[in-house]
Each structure stands twice: as structure tokens, then as C-alpha cells.
Amino acid sequence: MTERDITGRTRIYGILADPIHHVKTPEVMNALFARHGVDGVLVPFHVTADGLATLLSGLRRMENFGGFIATVPHKTAMLDLCDVAEPEARLIGAVNCVRREPGGSMTGAMLDGIGFVEGLRAAGYDPAERSVYLAGAGGAAKAIAFALAGAGIARIAIANRSRDKAEALGAALAAARPDLPVSVAGFSPEGEDLVINATSLGMRPDDPPPLDLGALQADQVVAEVIMDPERTPLLKAAAARGCRTQPGRPMLASQIELMARHMRAIS
Amino acid sequence: MTERDITGRTRIYGILADPIHHVKTPEVMNALFARHGVDGVLVPFHVTADGLATLLSGLRRMENFGGFIATVPHKTAMLDLCDVAEPEARLIGAVNCVRREPGGSMTGAMLDGIGFVEGLRAAGYDPAERSVYLAGAGGAAKAIAFALAGAGIARIAIANRSRDKAEALGAALAAARPDLPVSVAGFSPEGEDLVINATSLGMRPDDPPPLDLGALQADQVVAEVIMDPERTPLLKAAAARGCRTQPGRPMLASQIELMARHMRAIS
């Protein structure tokens, strides 16, 4: 998409965030559009929480608008603003990608967790039938937990500093998937096949570890949601102990494709 | 503006139209942005007349939105939707360019006529003190008449197929500029310095001429608002009679700069 390529026929896509300046989605999505020959462009829309509903009403009337990605702080609010939400989004209570239907109706999806699972699969690892240790019980953890449940894992153990949040996520998961064994775990990931950090611990150099690094075993797969730094202390420790590791960035690449597909920019 | 250049920091500008697919402004404005090193991108927003007010409310809440160009069929409706309109826009009763102020207030301007006058000046012709024959009394003619009045012409004669529209424009002009001699003219432009076609006659091969081509004289300057075809039958006839001619396209180039300046994309 060069300047000459944006014409009156180009479809518009957006990313809604506050703040906006740090988002990387325009570069990544526009590169994907270029690779697929899509006559579309994704542009940043900076909107605060109290302007979100009004902007959304306006975007319903933009006939050549294909949809948008919602990120911080809009994911939770978007669920109620959509006309239709996919089951995964309703379960998680958040939306991060919205398709504008002809006529202006908005269909929301939550692709954070599915992007994570697709990233694992793209790296050749299928989480089906595996046991999972999940560190974290916030938004990212919730999305990943539901996506893993949908991907057919054998069981999941959730660990969180405030235990009541882990219990709440476990209860929500058990309610949605009564046949999935769910438990609350402590600091050690011992004995589980797939070990996931879905907390923000590891972004800063002086963060404590999100789980007991000393308990990692060589037959475990260790996955990270943090994208920056690319090699977190957890991933370094896991690699040193002979574990297979999965960094956070492939999740983004997988998710961008899922988003483009949800917005029907690509098929 | 290449795909890599659209980032979270890029400011957004729009063109609002219905239909949208034929607009050329994205190409022209984005090329101007590139020449001036502006980190901005202009994209097409397709909106129908009954969606305009709602979209505008939404755009007020888009914090990184710099403004937009309004074209068919939105120019008249935009006047009342703006919070502030420049004097020229109020006189003409239409707005074709809107700046979004920080906080969301919208300031409208009407630059069609000023763009036409700037195009003449850029070609080395100053209409000050000249007598003008203006064919047409629609939106384009109105904008040009008021801009010429502001540029200090000596007098203006307005010709139109339906004479009452010419009289109405003449009366509006006389009310705004009591010292400007205004008259209603017939089919012949004889005796005026500057002859302008502001009708759409000449766009199609079988259109009748907008004025009496046989009355053109070598000392006249003949200007056209039609951009496509670039050389209309009027311009060809004028050139054959030794007149200096001014095609419609330079008006667009001048106007694009005025628009970029009104939206504060360039200074």
C-alpha cells in the first residue's frame, strides 16, 4: 500500500486504542494486506473510553469501513457495544476485533487466545490432550484458557498471586466446559506438559519470575505471552533446562491473520 | 506514505463523499503530504447524506483526526454541521473542507472558489480590476463568484440557462458586496476580460457549448472548471481564436494546498 495505492476504492480498517502512538498493528496489517493484494488500509483511530460509543456509531455509517481491532482500554467495553459477539468473546467478556457488516451492524470476536493457540500450532505443537500450567488470571490468561479449552487440552491448572482471581477464572472455565478438569495451582509448574506465562512478569529486568524456574523439566514446552523482550528470563531458564520454548511474537503474527479473516479482508 | 510509514503516530484525514470510488483526492493529497514530509494520511470515507451527521459526531471523538474534505452531496449540509464556518463559506452556503480542532470542534471553509482564483494567479493572471463573464449559477459558479468578488474584480456578468438562478446569485453577490457592479448576461461573453465556464457543459462530447463560442475575442482569457476532459470544446475554440486559456486542473492543485493548510497539515 503506497500513497498511490490509496484510492477512492480502498477499504478502510482501523485500530482503536488510547494511547495510540505505540501500536504496531498498522505496519503489520498493511504488510499483510500488501502480501495478499488486498485494496485496504488499516489506520490508527485514537479514541478515549468516553468517546468510544460515539465513534462506533459514526463508524457504523462509514460504508467503506471493514472493521477494526480494539485494544487497551476498549476490549471489555466493546463486548456490549457490538450487535453480535462470537461465543468465545461472550465467554471471555471481551472483544478485540470487530467486523462491520454491510448496513453497519458490528460483529465482535476475541482472538487473543486463539492467536496464541494458532501460534503454537504454527510452531508444530498441538495442545490437544496436553496438561497445562497457566500462570496468570487476567485478560490475557482468560483468553488463552478458553482458547485452550476449545483446542481440546486434557486439563488445566491456573496459578495466580491473588488466588481468588485464579479461582474465579477456574469457575468460569468449568461452567463453560463442564468436562474439562480445572484446578488452582501453586508456584510450581511441575508435572504439566505445557507451561504458559500469561502475566506481565518478565517485561521489566527486575520482575520476579512468574513461576518456579527451578521446577522446569526438559520434557515441558514453555510458552510466553510477553513480546518485548523477545527472550524473557523465563524463556532463557527454560531453554537452559532443555525445554522447548515458544516466544510471544508468533502469537501476534497468527492473530493478525485471524483478525484479517474476521474482518473479511482476506478469506 | 508507504505502508511502513503508517504508524500509531500518523494523523488521519478523510474525504467524505457518496459515491466515493471516483474521488482522486487521496492520491493527490497523500502525494502532497509526502512532498512536505507530513506524517499524515488521507483516506476515503464513504457516507450517505443521512449518515453524515452521525459520522461527524464520531469523528469529533477521534483524537488523531485532523479534518476532511467534503464533496458531493455533502457540501451544503456540512455548513450547518460545523461549529464554526469561515465568512466565505457562510456567504456561499456551503463547506468543502473542515478542520477538526483539538477537543472535537469543527471549523468549515469553502475553498472551491479561492482554489479557482489561486489557480489563475499561479498561472500569472490576476483577476483584480478585470471584468468577468461567468457562465453558470450553481454551486461551482457561486463559489467562484464570491471568490472573484473578494479578489477585487471590476464587475461581473452572470449567465445561466434559467435566468432566475442567475438573478438570485447576482442578488446574493450584490448584497454581500454592495460596491461590486453585478449584472445578468445573455449567451455572448463579448466585451469582458475574463470568461469562465462554471457549468458542467463540456464534460460530454455531445454537450451544447456553455456560451457563444463565436463571440470569443483574442484579448480574452477563457477559464474552465471542467477537469475531464482536460481540453474541452470551449478551451479548444478559445485557443483557436487566440485567447489565453486556463484549464480546470490547476484549480484542483491550488485547492489541495489550500485544503492542507486549512486542516493545518501544512503551514
Side-chain angles (χ1 to χ4, degrees):
Chain A
M1 174 75 24
T2 68
E3 78 206 11
R4 278 188 203 89
D5 293 328
I6 300 179
T7 72
R9 297 184 187 276
T10 303
R11 274 178 81 71
I12 311 303
Y13 301 86
I15 173 161
L16 275 58
D18 178 37
I20 193 79
H21 64 269
H22 65 290
V23 301
K24 300 281 177 242
T25 321
E27 292 96 311
V28 182
M29 187 64 88
N30 289 328
L32 181 145
F33 285 175
R35 284 199 305 278
H36 287 261
V38 174
D39 186 5
V41 63
L42 186 134
V43 290
F45 290 166
H46 180 200
V47 59
T48 59
D50 71 342
L52 184 63
T54 305
L55 177 58
L56 194 76
S57 297
L59 296 175
R60 289 174 188 276
R61 305 311 301 263
M62 200 191 289
E63 309 290 340
N64 60 342
F65 185 64
F68 61 92
I69 294 162
T71 186
V72 181
H74 303 312
K75 292 186 190 186
T76 307
M78 270 315 304
L79 181 66
D80 287 334
L81 292 173
C82 285
D83 302 284
V84 178
E86 298 200 340
E88 197 95 24
R90 284 200 307 271
L91 283 172
I92 297 165
V95 154
N96 78 334
C97 187
V98 176
R99 174 175 67 246
R100 182 188 176 281
E101 314 282 1
S105 175
M106 297 288 187
T107 303
M110 180 60 192
L111 304 170
D112 276 344
I114 304 167
F116 177 86
V117 170
E118 289 286 316
L120 282 175
R121 286 186 182 136
Y125 183 82
D126 187 347
E129 309 298 334
R130 310 292 183 158
S131 71
V132 175
Y133 174 92
L134 179 68
K142 200 168 182 178
I144 288 169
F146 279 97
L148 286 169
I153 55 170
R155 65 174 187 271
I156 186 166
I158 303 164
N160 198 60
R161 225 161 4 180
S162 19
R163 191 183 164 91
D164 55 342
K165 280 188 72 183
E167 281 167 351
L169 174 52
L173 208 50
R177 304 273 179 179
D179 51 341
L180 178 70
V182 177
S183 60
V184 170
F187 196 54
S188 168
E190 198 181 338
E192 312 294 354
D193 301 325
L194 172 60
V195 177
I196 302 165
N197 174 37
T199 75
S200 61
L201 293 174
M203 292 183 77
R204 294 180 207 165
D206 55 349
D207 279 340
L211 50 87
D212 183 359
L213 303 182
L216 291 171
Q217 297 151 315
D219 59 349
Q220 292 179 313
V221 171
V222 177
E224 179 64 271
V225 297
I226 291 170
M227 288 181 225
D228 189 16
E230 195 165 0
R231 306 285 305 162
T232 58
L234 168 64
L235 291 177
K236 284 179 189 166
R241 287 176 166 267
C243 305
R244 181 168 166 177
T245 61
Q246 172 78 2
R249 291 202 189 159
M251 175 176 69
L252 181 65
S254 295
Q255 195 174 169
I256 283 286
E257 278 215 34
L258 292 169
M259 288 168 159
R261 227 174 279 141
H262 178 70
M263 297 190 292
R264 306 239 161 102
I266 63 172
S267 55
Chain B
M1 177 70 28
T2 69
E3 80 206 10
R4 277 190 202 86
D5 293 329
I6 299 179
T7 72
R9 297 184 185 276
T10 303
R11 275 179 81 72
I12 311 305
Y13 301 85
I15 173 160
L16 276 57
D18 178 37
I20 193 80
H21 64 269
H22 65 289
V23 301
K24 299 282 177 242
T25 321
E27 291 96 311
V28 182
M29 187 63 87
N30 289 328
L32 181 144
F33 284 174
R35 284 199 305 278
H36 287 260
V38 174
D39 186 5
V41 63
L42 186 135
V43 291
F45 291 166
H46 181 199
V47 58
T48 60
D50 72 343
L52 184 63
T54 305
L55 177 58
L56 194 76
S57 297
L59 296 175
R60 289 174 188 275
R61 305 310 303 263
M62 200 190 290
E63 309 290 340
N64 60 342
F65 185 64
F68 62 92
I69 294 163
T71 186
V72 181
H74 303 311
K75 292 186 191 186
T76 307
M78 270 315 304
L79 181 66
D80 288 334
L81 292 173
C82 284
D83 302 283
V84 179
E86 298 200 341
E88 198 95 24
R90 285 200 306 272
L91 282 172
I92 297 164
V95 154
N96 78 333
C97 187
V98 177
R99 174 175 67 247
R100 181 187 177 281
E101 314 282 1
S105 174
M106 297 287 187
T107 303
M110 181 59 192
L111 304 169
D112 276 344
I114 304 168
F116 178 85
V117 170
E118 289 286 316
L120 282 175
R121 286 186 182 137
Y125 183 82
D126 186 346
E129 310 296 333
R130 310 292 182 158
S131 70
V132 175
Y133 174 93
L134 179 68
K142 200 169 181 179
I144 288 169
F146 278 97
L148 287 169
I153 54 170
R155 65 174 189 270
I156 186 167
I158 303 163
N160 198 61
R161 225 161 7 180
S162 18
R163 191 183 163 92
D164 55 341
K165 281 188 71 183
E167 282 168 351
L169 173 52
L173 207 51
R177 302 275 178 178
D179 51 341
L180 178 71
V182 177
S183 61
V184 169
F187 196 55
S188 167
E190 198 179 340
E192 312 294 355
D193 301 324
L194 173 60
V195 177
I196 302 165
N197 174 37
T199 75
S200 62
L201 294 174
M203 290 183 78
R204 292 180 208 167
D206 55 349
D207 279 339
L211 50 86
D212 183 0
L213 303 182
L216 291 171
Q217 296 151 315
D219 59 349
Q220 292 179 314
V221 171
V222 177
E224 179 65 271
V225 295
I226 291 170
M227 289 181 227
D228 189 16
E230 194 166 359
R231 306 284 306 162
T232 59
L234 168 64
L235 292 177
K236 284 180 188 163
R241 287 177 166 267
C243 305
R244 182 168 165 177
T245 60
Q246 172 78 1
R249 291 201 190 162
M251 176 176 68
L252 180 66
S254 295
Q255 196 173 170
I256 283 286
E257 278 217 32
L258 291 169
M259 287 167 160
R261 228 173 279 142
H262 178 69
M263 297 190 291
R264 306 240 162 102
I266 63 172
S267 55

